[in-house]
Amino acid sequence: MKHNFLKLVIAASFSILATTNSQAAEVKLLNVSYDPTRELYQEYNPVFAKYWKEKTGDDVTINQSHAGSGKQARSVLEGLEADVVTLALAYDVDQLYQKRKLIPENWQSLLPNNSSPYTSTIVFLVRKGNPKAIKDWNDIVKPGISIVTPNPKTSGGARWNFLAAWGYALKHNNNEEAAAKTFVTQLYKNAAVLDTGARGATTSFVEREIGDVLITWENEAYMVLKEFGADKFELVTPSLSILTEPPVAVVEDIARKHGTTEVATEYLNHLYSKEGQEIIGKNYYRPTDPEIAAKYAKQFQPLQLFKIDEFGGWNVAQNKFFADDGVFDQIYGAGK
């Protein structure tokens, strides 16, 4: 009798264990991103969660963290446990390898397009009617123009803004560095405020009504038009700007610790899927899938684009322009 009772207890225990093991796992991911991706990932996250549930039966919740890209990279280095980072530029992601080996050295080769599932560029947002007649970079350095742009020390978008202006000045001054420096110095003399991130700059321009022109990401400018109305603002596409390539990476050291490597990897891979690329296009980023890019091309104004390669890549540009005592420090000191 005792043996039969013991068999029943063991059988019940195995039954409970089997039931427990068959239940869906609940997984959490932290995506540490830069300022203007809030809306993109708010739309993408539930779509990915549904895809992952159908594929594996597991539930995944994705939490988002947003601030200036440089600030976000430092937060991860200081202990913010990101499973993935989706930052504004390659230099910020690379710091996770250079400073703490949180990612592999070859991180940028692990996903297509140098780990950039979308691109963008830098444009202007002006008030309705364009009262200061701003059409190109040379218009915003004129006396009396009030500019809003973030701080390159904390914001990735601000560094793209700076390099877009510098590249324009080079191409219109026979590649003379001194002329470019004078041009960008005048730009920062006209800066009314340097917010820590791109979204803060948008808030200053749109809600606090500071400035005549906002230098910003193309997708951020379109978001403002969508949210606040084309009756209040206008997007101005300059003749020349920089191709911005925001990269993504699994923070492998942290993902291993959390047991999230598989889902984190698929989270980023799925950005390259047709479904992910559609969401990217709908949120005014430029898709990298040729078919989806062609579908959304008509929403963007044509312009000439140059790449970060023209500055020798991000490591060279960062050290030259944005490191302590670099060109930005020289310029902003002179500008203020």
Side-chain angles (χ1 to χ4, degrees), residues 159-178:
R159 279 171 276 170
W160 287 116
N161 292 355
F162 181 105
L163 294 178
W166 189 276
Y168 173 90
L170 281 180
K171 291 183 185 298
H172 286 78
N173 290 281
N174 297 314
N175 287 316
E176 293 178 6
E177 293 258 325

Side-chain angles (χ1 to χ4, degrees), residues 187-203:
L187 186 155
Y188 282 95
K189 280 184 179 177
N190 285 352
V193 60
L194 296 185
D195 289 285
T196 59
R199 186 53 58 87
T202 299
T203 300

